[in-house]
Amino acid sequence: MGSQDRLPCKDAPPESPPGPGAQAILRVAEALVAEKGFDAVSVNDIAREASVSKANVFHHFKSKEGLYLEVLRHACRHSARALDAALAESSADPHVRLQQFFFHHLRALLEHAQSSRLLQRALLEGASQRGRELAEEVFAHHFSRLVELVRAGQSSGCLRRDFDPALLAFLLVGASAFFFETRAVLRHLPEVTFAERPERYGSAVFDLLARGFARAPGEVGR
Amino acid sequence: MGSQDRLPCKDAPPESPPGPGAQAILRVAEALVAEKGFDAVSVNDIAREASVSKANVFHHFKSKEGLYLEVLRHACRHSARALDAALAESSADPHVRLQQFFFHHLRALLEHAQSSRLLQRALLEGASQRGRELAEEVFAHHFSRLVELVRAGQSSGCLRRDFDPALLAFLLVGASAFFFETRAVLRHLPEVTFAERPERYGSAVFDLLARGFARAPGEVGR
DNA sequence: GAGTGCGCTGACCGAACGGTCGGTTGGGGT
DNA sequence: ACCCCAACCGACCGTTCGGTCAGCGCACTC
């Protein structure tokens, strides 16, 4: 009943560093859950795909929920690292930094589609609140940093000051994320020519947005 | 086996117009599936919540999948009607028409959160391809009309011509949809002040976008 | 070579799943 | 009066679910 883990900060200890067998299970679970969702994947499916017995899955993870959380933690770590990299661009021009973040973020989303889809699902599902909290932690932290980046651009003078910095941050993230989410559908829309050309989509979107948030009408720096 | 329905166009005949009992089941199923997802809701749950026997559910719908498709069809009809209304704005100014569409769409999304979430899920899940096709039909049609609206604005001269009309259409839809999707998370982000103020979010986003796609620098019409 | 810890397994459990079946209503047509 | 048929139900079916358990093989130590 009351045996919840109380360790607040430690990374590995709650479960020992995953051995090679556990990692194989983790990888398979990640792929299957990302594709079909937690409820649509059974432990049997995972075990079969990983070529181990179902009992072995429960040997390495204390429950299906536990395995799911481990999978999610892995995806979060992955995603957090990618966001760190995207935010670490070191240009002096905030406009360029925003652009680089946007491209980096979009590319990372598409390249690690599995983790992206996993987090997308975690945010959607009301069930397993622990999963939501996990995903929200990652997003809250990095979103703050992005907002700060926008705000810095505003006070440095190269971005307009009459809009909410959080709004632009949200739009940048959303333009990438929504593109990723709906890409499969976009392919079927005859009017859409950018479904298969993420770079083209990225630069077109950023240009359009930049016209809205950049300071001077002709002096954008590009 | 080979007993697929072949009727191409008819609306009602495959299943008779739903009686009051069937409608109650449908309503409950819609709510539960929208909240938890298809796989996380059992027929027993639906029957219990609707205060009927499980057998009765199978009396009105030939299978769980069939019930799901009926639920989805209902949500699609709902959504299609809302989009029709949003696209039917009759102003002469394309800029105003776009704005009205955007606000209408955002409001509809939030007001009929249940249907919205249902379609969002249908697009996400690779399983039950029939569901995807259903949702895609609705989107493809109305997206075309929206693109045409943008294109009309471009050739009428009040919108810039150096961007892809499908791109703006996509951004308008995405800005609403992504806001809807992530609203629960936005509430927890301290920097975000617009999570509870959709109208404020809507006008801020449209203003920012409008600066990017509108033709003249000072002549926006608002 | 007895002891020990660990990765792993097949057999098994109770519960819940989607779905079926035989039967009971009750209002409408003849 | 009769029958019919849709709506509805309790009981039940076979299957699969998440999860448990006793034990096997094998490397390692003393």
Side-chain angles (χ1 to χ4, degrees):
Chain A
M1 287 299 185
S3 66
Q4 285 186 342
D5 275 325
R6 287 292 184 156
L7 302 175
C9 304
K10 310 285 286 248
D11 271 331
E15 270 106 20
S16 53
Q23 271 188 3
I25 296 173
L26 216 74
R27 281 212 325 272
V28 168
E30 202 166 335
L32 287 182
V33 173
E35 188 193 339
K36 315 188 183 193
F38 176 74
D39 294 299
V41 171
S42 73
V43 180
N44 250 320
D45 294 337
I46 295 171
R48 194 183 313 119
E49 191 79 14
S51 303
V52 299
S53 70
K54 183 173 66 161
N56 190 15
V57 174
F58 287 100
H59 172 70
H60 287 291
F61 305 91
K62 72 170 194 287
S63 67
K64 190 192 182 189
E65 179 90 6
L67 168 57
Y68 172 65
L69 286 181
E70 216 54 47
V71 162
L72 216 54
R73 246 188 286 269
H74 185 260
C76 282
R77 246 175 282 146
H78 207 104
S79 178
R81 235 181 299 129
L83 283 172
D84 271 334
L87 281 164
E89 305 288 348
S90 56
S91 166
D93 184 351
H95 185 99
V96 174
R97 287 190 66 181
L98 277 184
Q99 187 172 21
Q100 285 179 337
F101 165 81
F102 180 66
F103 288 160
H104 207 125
H105 180 233
L106 179 57
R107 202 180 316 123
L109 224 50
L110 294 167
E111 274 175 12
H112 309 109
Q114 208 168 270
S115 298
S116 307
R117 192 167 292 265
L118 227 27
L119 291 207
Q120 186 192 344
R121 288 204 128 98
L123 290 179
L124 176 67
E125 319 203 20
S128 175
Q129 294 150 309
R130 186 79 191 92
R132 274 188 80 123
E133 294 168 16
L134 215 71
E136 286 184 6
E137 276 175 33
V138 182
F139 289 141
H141 177 126
H142 290 86
F143 186 77
S144 289
R145 292 179 57 187
L146 179 58
V147 171
E148 204 120 339
L149 207 162
V150 174
R151 207 176 273 134
Q154 286 181 312
S155 54
S156 91
C158 78
L159 262 52
R160 297 169 123 272
R161 299 175 198 224
D162 59 350
F163 62 82
D164 182 352
L167 184 82
L168 178 56
F170 176 74
L171 282 182
L172 286 175
V173 172
S176 298
F178 194 69
F179 178 73
F180 168 74
E181 286 178 23
T182 59
R183 214 174 155 209
V185 180
L186 289 185
R187 278 191 254 266
H188 301 158
L189 300 182
E191 298 90 353
V192 173
T193 62
F194 49 80
E196 308 289 355
R197 295 180 170 77
E199 341 74 41
R200 230 162 59 98
Y201 167 79
S203 54
V205 167
F206 195 82
D207 282 359
L208 200 148
L209 282 178
R211 274 196 227 122
F213 66 72
R215 188 85 183 274
E219 197 67 46
V220 189
R222 194 234 184 272
Chain B
M1 300 296 178
S3 67
Q4 286 185 342
D5 274 327
R6 288 292 185 156
L7 303 176
C9 305
K10 310 287 284 246
D11 271 332
E15 270 107 19
S16 53
Q23 271 188 2
I25 296 174
L26 216 74
R27 280 211 328 271
V28 168
E30 200 165 338
L32 288 182
V33 172
E35 187 193 340
K36 313 188 182 195
F38 175 74
D39 294 298
V41 171
S42 73
V43 180
N44 251 319
D45 294 337
I46 296 170
R48 195 182 314 120
E49 191 79 15
S51 303
V52 299
S53 71
K54 186 173 63 161
N56 192 13
V57 174
F58 288 100
H59 170 71
H60 288 291
F61 306 91
K62 74 169 193 287
S63 66
K64 190 193 180 188
E65 178 89 8
L67 169 57
Y68 172 65
L69 286 181
E70 216 55 47
V71 162
L72 217 54
R73 245 188 288 269
H74 185 259
C76 281
R77 245 175 283 145
H78 207 105
S79 178
R81 235 180 300 128
L83 283 172
D84 271 335
L87 282 164
E89 305 289 348
S90 55
S91 167
D93 184 352
H95 184 99
V96 174
R97 287 191 66 184
L98 277 183
Q99 187 171 22
Q100 285 179 337
F101 165 81
F102 180 66
F103 288 159
H104 208 126
H105 179 232
L106 179 57
R107 202 179 316 122
L109 224 50
L110 294 167
E111 274 175 11
H112 309 110
Q114 208 168 270
S115 299
S116 308
R117 192 167 291 264
L118 228 27
L119 292 207
Q120 186 192 344
R121 288 204 127 98
L123 290 179
L124 177 68
E125 320 204 18
S128 175
Q129 293 150 310
R130 186 79 192 92
R132 275 188 78 122
E133 295 167 16
L134 214 73
E136 286 184 6
E137 275 175 34
V138 182
F139 289 140
H141 177 135
H142 291 85
F143 186 77
S144 290
R145 292 178 57 187
L146 179 57
V147 171
E148 204 120 340
L149 207 161
V150 175
R151 205 176 274 133
Q154 286 181 315
S155 55
S156 91
C158 78
L159 262 50
R160 298 170 123 271
R161 298 174 198 225
D162 60 349
F163 63 82
D164 182 352
L167 185 82
L168 178 56
F170 176 74
L171 282 182
L172 285 176
V173 172
S176 298
F178 195 70
F179 178 73
F180 169 74
E181 287 178 22
T182 59
R183 212 171 157 213
V185 180
L186 289 185
R187 278 190 254 265
H188 300 157
L189 299 182
E191 297 91 353
V192 174
T193 61
F194 50 80
E196 309 289 355
R197 294 179 171 76
E199 343 72 41
R200 231 162 57 98
Y201 167 80
S203 54
V205 166
F206 195 83
D207 282 359
L208 200 148
L209 283 177
R211 274 196 226 121
F213 65 73
R215 187 85 183 273
E219 198 67 45
V220 189
R222 195 229 184 272

